[in-house]
Amino acid sequence: VNARGTTTPGGLQNGLRPKVLLVDDHLPVLEVVRSVLEPQFYIVGALTDGQLAVDAALRLDPDIIVLDVAMPGMDGFQTASELKRRGSRAPTVFLTMHDAEEYAVKAIELGALGYVLKPRMLSDLPSALNHALDRRLFVPSIVTVTAAASRGREHAAYFHAHDSVHLDELSRAAARALRRGDPVSVVGSEAIRSDLELRLTRLGMNVTSEKAQGRYEAFDTADALSQVMQDGQLDRERLAGFVEALEQRRLAVAPGSESRMTLFGDIAVPLWETGQVEAAMSVEHEWDALTAARRFLSVCMYPVDCFAEADGAQFQRVCAVHSAVTRSPNIQLPA
Amino acid sequence: MPTRQETRRVLLQEELATANTLLHLTLEAGKAVGWDWDVTTGRDCWFGDLQTMFGTPSTTFSWHGEDVRRHLHPEDRERVWKAVKDAMDGHTPCAAEFRVVREDGTVRWVAAQGQFYYSHDGAPQRMLGVAVDITERKADEEALHHKDNELAEAQRLAGVGSWQWDPETDTVIWSDELYRIVGRDPRLPAVNFRDHPQLYTPESWDRLRRAVEEALRTGAPYELDLEMVRTDGALLWVMARGEVQRDQAGRVVGLRGTLQDISERRAGQEALRESQERLVLAAQAGRMYAYEWERASDVVVRSANCAQILGSTSKLRVTTRTQMMTTVHPDDRALVVDATRGCTPEHPTNRVQYRVIRPDGSIIWVEKHGRASFDRDGEMQRMIGMVVDITERKLAEEALSSLSRRLIEAQEAERARIARELHDDIAQRLAMTLVALDQRRQAAETPHAEVLRQTDDVRRQIEDVSRRVHSLSHKLHSATLHHLGMTTAMQSFCEELSAQQEVDIIFAYDDIPQEIPEEISLCLFRVLQEALHNAIRHSNVRRFEVELRGASDAVVLTVRDSGVGFDPEKAMKGRGLGLISMQERLKLVNGELSIDSKRERGTSIHARVPLSAAGSAQTLALAT
């Protein structure tokens, strides 16, 4: 299912490990990163300086570049800008100690496809590199995805543990979108919806007023699902109607070209949980197609336990249909 | 041959004529008139000095009652007529003082006495009387009365009371004003000399007693400043003057004198003396001179110290302002001119600091304080003031400023170094430890459940330590400022702080130039941190506004709350180092801090940093 062999423009061929250029001013870190990546990736170079990295990137033509943020001289952000300016087409993934959202947002605005925190590198860095090679964004938090509005349309898969960490992240992301002036829609269970409203209020949002202005709307998952499914099959017309209604609401509430309809939903989850994998996938594919040309940020929320640890293939299928992958900070993604 | 009876009649007539002539002469000499009023016919015959009294140029005149009435002053007519009527009815003599209006309109005072004569049946027949002109006496009386009033008024105004003392009987007489000065009820008798000790402090009484004894013995007058104890217990300063009174034989029979309340004058003298002393001391110690400039002539007159301060060899204390301006440092001339121009009748004072180039080429700093005076049209007439040599203070300030710059630089550099160490080294090593732990765990085939639980525990602990290290590093020196720029750093600081302190911080910004020198962004960031921490600690409100505005040549940061407010001047002196450190930091980037705060009316802190002049500020080493 991995499409990297055919889509990566870096001259990658099937059977060869992707070429990675590492940039970090700390040699011990470079050593650890090498040990983490080497089974899957080929390290073409490991450099401790941004300026040297730019020259090396142009010379070594890596498939992907891993960049530290804090470096003496040219820092990671400056290095990424310089790479872009000098015509490097290799996607960049940041590997850093900085866990503040603003850093990740800045990285994405500079065109990076991944943002990985160093303590999580063993699980996250290989994933991030693979997603990046597929031109998919990988970031450590749903809030970052919401904040990185510069990417415009986004169809993100968000894996969580169905706990308070998840709800906390969800509420901060929704608040962020509302503060930006974007309309927000939520598809979730009664428990999730009422919890979310409580948390939004605690974050200083006036949910009643947002609802009255049509900027916040919530749907029940079961209701929504029953509307778009007909005899266990996806009714494309009805799903299209649902998407169109959302689009119309966006245009009515925030008609500017900068606004995004931001939707947090778990409509496919009941299908996964009842083993209707193909139906779930068809909902995702259809959604992806329906929103492809619209200013939609769709965050598909999946409890990570939908995917057995051994069942990496199903997880990969879900990721493949999204443009971005993210997860709650307290979970490990399947390999 | 006349008969004896005839002879007697002739003699009588002659005597009568003589007596009549004498009467007329007497009346004229004494400015008096007489009258003989025949009540039955109404004919009233007046004689004597009619010229003086009525302005009638003759010695006799015959009127009717009505004519007399007409000559009486309107205000006195009823009174006089009533007196006449009472006398007629009561068979009593009649006496009255009244005014008459002469033919020429002038008014004379007269004193008149008359008496009625009656027929056998008791009916009034005639009235005879004499009237004397008393105008001059009346004027004297009036003047005397007026003088008494004037004296009392003068005493009251001057705070001068007068007194007399008869040592024989120890009788003391006080004027009203003296009663007022002493604070004694004027209905009581004056205080005897015997009881005078109660009126003065012991020291003053002692001096007064000796002066009085001396006066009685030698006749010498005295003048003393005494401290008086009023009856209400208040103390006041009086000047007592006394002199002896002698009888015709030259013996001293008493003392008289005045007592003047001089408390205010004395307080004024005291203040003047003190201020003069202070001025002299200040001028000597503080190296300053006074000046006076007259605008019309452009002449400046200066006090003696000016030569020493300005290093001039000439002893000339007079110059012109134009001449004076040539010694002002060229860069500061506009400042000096503007300071003078800025004076208005509403704000007549100014203060300006500038440099003076002395004849030997050395430069001194002076501070000029001036006060302008204006004419009625608001045109400046002259200016007086002081010029203080502040060179040493300026040098000290510069040294202090350079010291605080070095301190702040050193502090920031050290903070940055430690933060970098924590973040890049310690936190990173911890992160690598975690990765290594994860690798071991991954490598272990079918790990024991207990081992898994323990490694998870260790992982959590390391993560916790790592978070603390990161947060400490962030607090010491925010790398965000370097990597993401001032606006983002400030915004996330506001968000973090509002979450951590559970307060609302509204952050707004616009037009912030992309490239802001790091010493400026660090300075403003530190000001923001300090200002917000202060506001949260002291304002008693939970909502704060932060505004970052860019102008073409400056960045302005404003931190505002609507809380309890404070007195900025006091706070600068007393409230820890917060405000001072903000000010010091801003100084280093040529910025300025202004605080707008009123009790219960909230506080606004504005920090303004010019962008153009920033190049001159030294760059801090901030790489992270």
Side-chain angles (χ1 to χ4, degrees):
Chain A
V1 187
N2 193 331
R4 95 172 61 123
T6 53
T7 56
T8 307
L12 193 70
Q13 292 154 22
N14 280 323
L16 293 180
R17 288 180 299 166
K19 294 185 287 177
V20 179
L21 181 69
L22 301 180
V23 189
D24 194 302
D25 61 317
H26 279 68
L27 280 171
V29 175
L30 285 176
E31 286 314 305
V32 175
V33 177
R34 184 190 291 276
S35 72
V36 168
L37 294 180
E38 273 205 317
Q40 287 185 62
F41 301 91
Y42 173 54
I43 311 298
V44 289
L47 297 149
T48 56
D49 179 287
Q51 186 61 56
L52 291 177
V54 174
D55 298 338
L58 297 169
R59 198 173 62 245
L60 298 171
D61 190 28
D63 298 306
I64 198 155
I65 300 168
V66 175
L67 273 175
D68 186 15
V69 171
M71 293 187 290
M74 205 191 252
D75 71 15
F77 293 144
Q78 289 165 325
T79 306
S81 305
E82 186 63 9
L83 281 167
K84 212 154 109 184
R85 198 182 68 78
R86 299 275 293 273
S88 162
R89 295 184 48 140
T92 47
V93 169
F94 279 92
L95 177 65
T96 174
M97 291 297 295
H98 289 288
D99 64 355
E101 274 141 23
E102 289 76 18
Y103 282 79
V105 171
K106 166 113 181 190
I108 293 165
E109 279 168 359
L110 287 169
L113 278 178
Y115 195 87
V116 174
L117 298 173
K118 280 179 179 171
R120 303 290 301 259
M121 75 162 93
L122 185 63
S123 58
D124 286 357
L125 189 58
S127 305
L129 294 196
N130 284 319
H131 290 307
L133 288 169
D134 288 343
R135 290 296 187 267
R136 211 164 30 244
L137 180 68
F138 180 89
V139 287
S141 130
I142 183 184
V143 184
T144 307
V145 174
T146 317
S150 61
R151 276 175 57 93
R153 185 264 185 185
E154 194 89 81
H155 183 198
Y158 164 55
F159 301 95
H160 60 85
H162 227 328
D163 57 4
S164 64
V165 179
H166 156 56
L167 289 165
D168 185 57
E169 280 215 302
L170 177 59
S171 60
R172 286 195 298 126
R176 191 116 189 185
L178 286 170
R179 286 211 178 96
R180 255 179 55 83
D182 288 343
V184 169
S185 297
V186 176
V187 180
S189 66
E190 165 63 27
I192 284 184
R193 284 180 280 131
S194 57
D195 187 284
L196 180 59
E197 284 186 20
L198 200 68
R199 284 170 196 266
L200 281 172
T201 308
R202 259 188 243 147
L203 289 172
M205 312 301 302
N206 185 341
V207 179
T208 317
S209 150
E210 300 285 354
K211 276 183 178 170
Q213 293 170 44
R215 301 207 311 140
Y216 184 87
E217 198 174 13
F219 306 91
D220 184 71
T221 308
D223 288 353
L225 195 59
S226 66
Q227 271 182 40
V228 299
M229 297 298 285
Q230 190 76 34
D231 306 326
Q233 297 292 311
L234 173 68
D235 185 326
R236 287 166 208 279
E237 295 282 303
R238 287 189 185 178
L239 189 63
F242 184 67
V243 169
E244 185 55 32
L246 291 177
E247 173 73 343
Q248 288 309 315
R249 188 154 68 79
R250 177 183 82 83
L251 292 172
V253 173
S257 62
E258 292 297 304
S259 78
R260 286 201 297 189
M261 166 54 75
T262 304
L263 180 119
F264 303 95
D266 58 3
I267 196 167
V269 172
L271 301 172
W272 277 101
E273 284 173 342
T274 53
Q276 305 174 65
V277 175
E278 295 314 316
M281 288 308 297
S282 65
V283 171
E284 284 288 16
H285 278 290
E286 195 59 27
W287 186 272
D288 198 54
L290 284 168
T291 59
R294 299 180 195 271
R295 287 195 63 84
F296 265 50
L297 163 61
S298 321
V299 178
C300 302
M301 307 188 289
Y302 286 95
V304 76
D305 53 17
C306 283
F307 310 95
E309 219 171 294
D311 197 2
Q314 298 291 31
F315 174 74
Q316 294 299 340
R317 278 185 75 190
V318 172
C319 289
V321 76
H322 290 89
S323 64
V325 173
T326 186
R327 51 132 181 86
S328 268
N330 58 333
I331 64 156
Q332 297 276 349
L333 290 179
Chain B
M1 184 78 185
T3 61
R4 217 175 130 205
Q5 214 169 0
E6 274 176 327
T7 309
R8 217 186 132 130
R9 189 171 59 86
V10 169
L11 278 173
L12 273 173
Q13 277 178 338
E14 277 174 5
E15 274 178 36
L16 185 64
T18 310
N20 212 5
T21 308
L22 280 172
L23 178 65
H24 276 251
L25 285 170
T26 311
L27 289 172
E28 276 165 38
K31 292 181 178 178
V33 292
W35 77 85
D36 179 357
W37 175 31
D38 186 335
V39 179
T40 49
T41 63
R43 199 176 65 91
D44 197 356
C45 183
W46 289 74
F47 51 89
D49 188 3
L50 298 178
Q51 171 68 37
T52 300
M53 196 147 322
F54 299 113
T56 312
S58 74
T59 51
T60 56
F61 206 81
S62 200
W63 278 332
H64 278 275
E66 267 312 297
D67 294 325
V68 178
R69 251 180 87 88
R70 189 163 53 80
H71 275 85
L72 291 178
H73 192 282
E75 284 175 16
D76 297 342
R77 271 176 206 159
E78 290 310 309
R79 183 168 57 82
V80 172
W81 189 243
K82 186 171 180 299
V84 169
K85 190 95 172 55
D86 287 350
M88 185 162 67
D89 296 345
H91 296 244
T92 52
C94 169
E97 286 184 6
F98 53 91
R99 286 162 290 180
V100 294
V101 182
R102 288 170 23 140
E103 295 293 321
D104 62 5
T106 53
V107 174
R108 308 290 301 182
W109 271 98
V110 297
Q113 281 199 16
Q115 181 154 7
F116 282 93
Y117 294 87
Y118 308 87
S119 62
H120 295 296
D121 58 1
Q125 293 286 305
R126 61 196 293 206
M127 183 192 197
L128 294 177
V130 181
V132 185
D133 185 298
I134 56 165
T135 306
E136 276 160 28
R137 197 194 85 204
K138 271 284 177 188
D140 287 349
E141 275 178 13
E142 192 89 346
L144 196 62
H145 181 67
H146 190 66
K147 280 237 159 55
D148 274 354
N149 280 347
E150 268 186 347
L151 181 66
E153 179 68 7
Q155 287 200 350
R156 194 184 62 74
L157 285 175
V160 179
S162 53
W163 53 268
Q164 280 186 35
W165 174 49
D166 179 357
E168 194 74 25
T169 58
D170 193 12
T171 312
V172 176
I173 299 167
W174 283 354
S175 71
D176 289 351
E177 183 58 18
L178 215 153
Y179 274 98
R180 198 199 57 75
I181 294 171
V182 178
R184 187 175 170 86
D185 185 344
R187 289 166 300 190
L188 298 173
V191 175
N192 294 332
F193 187 70
R194 197 176 54 246
D195 296 328
H196 264 48
Q198 73 189 45
L199 288 178
Y200 296 94
T201 60
E203 184 272 335
S204 287
W205 164 245
D206 196 44
R207 280 190 291 124
L208 177 63
R209 183 181 52 78
R210 278 189 278 126
V212 168
E213 285 169 5
E214 178 80 7
L216 290 177
R217 204 173 65 244
T218 66
Y222 62 85
E223 186 178 313
L224 300 167
D225 279 5
L226 301 171
E227 203 171 8
M228 174 175 267
V229 185
R230 279 170 56 105
T231 47
D232 62 6
L235 291 177
L236 78 163
W237 279 96
V238 295
M239 185 171 69
R241 284 200 179 96
E243 62 181 26
V244 292
Q245 286 178 296
R246 297 173 190 272
D247 63 8
Q248 286 180 329
R251 283 187 310 251
V252 172
V253 291
L255 281 180
R256 68 175 176 199
T258 58
L259 194 83
Q260 185 176 11
D261 180 353
I262 54 164
S263 296
E264 279 180 25
R265 196 182 78 199
R266 218 176 142 96
Q269 279 173 341
E270 197 75 0
L272 185 65
R273 188 184 54 74
E274 276 178 22
S275 98
Q276 277 169 343
E277 274 174 15
R278 271 205 302 270
L279 192 66
V280 170
L281 280 175
Q284 286 166 354
R287 291 179 53 79
M288 56 175 83
Y289 65 86
Y291 73 93
E292 180 171 350
W293 169 57
E294 194 189 55
R295 195 181 172 198
S297 61
D298 197 35
V299 167
V300 179
V301 181
R302 299 172 294 191
S303 64
N305 273 13
C306 82
Q308 191 202 344
I309 289 168
L310 301 176
S312 113
T313 47
S314 123
K315 293 275 176 237
L316 210 58
R317 284 159 50 187
V318 180
T319 181
T320 63
R321 190 173 137 93
T322 317
Q323 180 64 31
M324 189 279 287
M325 284 303 278
T326 61
T327 66
V328 175
H329 193 286
D331 293 353
D332 298 345
R333 278 176 200 163
L335 210 66
V336 177
V337 171
D338 287 351
T340 304
R341 252 187 222 146
C343 287
T344 60
E346 291 76 34
H347 302 284
T349 59
N350 68 9
R351 192 174 76 168
V352 59
Q353 293 185 355
Y354 58 92
R355 285 161 290 180
V356 170
I357 303 172
R358 309 210 302 185
D360 63 2
S362 63
I363 290 177
I364 60 162
W365 274 96
V366 297
E367 183 172 271
K368 190 164 85 170
H369 299 250
R371 171 179 281 273
S373 38
F374 297 84
D375 65 10
R376 280 185 190 170
D377 301 328
E379 285 291 316
M380 193 184 292
Q381 296 297 300
R382 60 194 199 112
M383 184 162 245
I384 59 169
M386 297 294 295
V387 175
V388 191
D389 178 358
I390 55 163
T391 310
E392 280 182 24
R393 195 176 89 199
K394 274 278 173 187
L395 287 175
E397 272 176 11
E398 259 164 45
L400 196 65
S401 164
S402 129
L403 184 67
S404 56
R405 173 200 293 274
R406 286 208 302 275
L407 263 177
I408 289 173
E409 280 173 2
Q411 192 194 32
E412 285 297 348
E414 190 61 5
R415 276 172 163 225
R417 190 189 65 77
I418 297 171
R420 214 164 36 234
E421 195 90 340
L422 286 172
H423 188 265
D424 292 5
D425 191 54
I426 297 177
Q428 201 139 256
R429 279 166 193 261
L430 288 169
M432 294 311 114
T433 310
L434 280 177
V435 176
L437 197 65
D438 288 345
Q439 283 175 319
R440 297 282 179 290
R441 203 182 132 158
Q442 214 174 47
E445 285 169 23
T446 60
H448 195 274
E450 181 59 15
V451 175
L452 277 181
R453 201 188 58 74
Q454 282 172 0
T455 50
D456 277 352
D457 255 9
V458 174
R459 191 175 208 292
R460 264 194 293 279
Q461 281 173 34
I462 297 176
E463 272 179 338
D464 188 47
V465 175
S466 182
R467 253 194 302 278
R468 281 161 196 263
V469 168
H470 176 79
S471 135
L472 185 60
S473 157
H474 182 63
K475 270 183 199 153
L476 276 171
H477 186 95
S478 170
T480 314
L481 204 56
H482 175 70
H483 294 303
L484 302 179
M486 181 170 69
T487 309
T488 312
M490 285 187 173
Q491 187 161 25
S492 48
F493 173 74
C494 290
E495 278 168 18
E496 276 166 35
L497 195 66
S498 71
Q500 185 192 323
Q501 301 282 335
E502 295 184 354
V503 294
D504 277 344
I505 302 175
I506 316 297
F507 180 80
Y509 64 95
D510 69 11
D511 290 334
I512 304 305
Q514 281 289 308
E515 297 296 325
I516 289 181
E518 269 194 32
E519 66 269 21
I520 292 180
S521 58
L522 178 64
C523 165
L524 287 173
F525 187 75
R526 291 285 186 232
V527 170
L528 172 75
Q529 286 180 308
E530 188 66 44
L532 273 178
H533 279 134
N534 277 346
I536 291 171
R537 254 200 311 273
H538 302 293
S539 71
N540 280 357
V541 289
R542 313 301 293 164
R543 188 176 187 279
F544 310 92
E545 284 173 26
V546 176
E547 230 179 65
L548 188 61
R549 300 263 175 249
S552 58
D553 57 346
V555 182
V556 183
L557 171 72
T558 305
V559 178
R560 206 177 285 127
D561 68 64
S562 54
V564 295
F566 59 90
D567 178 351
E569 244 171 70
K570 255 193 217 162
M572 276 291 187
K573 284 179 194 140
R575 196 195 210 170
L577 283 168
L579 293 177
I580 296 169
S581 89
M582 284 193 237
Q583 201 172 40
E584 285 301 315
R585 279 180 182 281
L586 281 162
K587 247 193 229 169
L588 299 187
V589 290
N590 299 318
E592 51 197 39
L593 182 73
S594 65
I595 300 166
D596 187 5
S597 186
K598 289 199 182 85
R599 286 248 162 251
E600 305 304 328
R601 302 281 292 278
T603 301
S604 288
I605 297 208
H606 309 270
R608 184 178 193 282
V609 182
L611 289 176
S612 48
S616 63
Q618 286 171 25
T619 308
L620 304 178
L622 295 169
T624 48

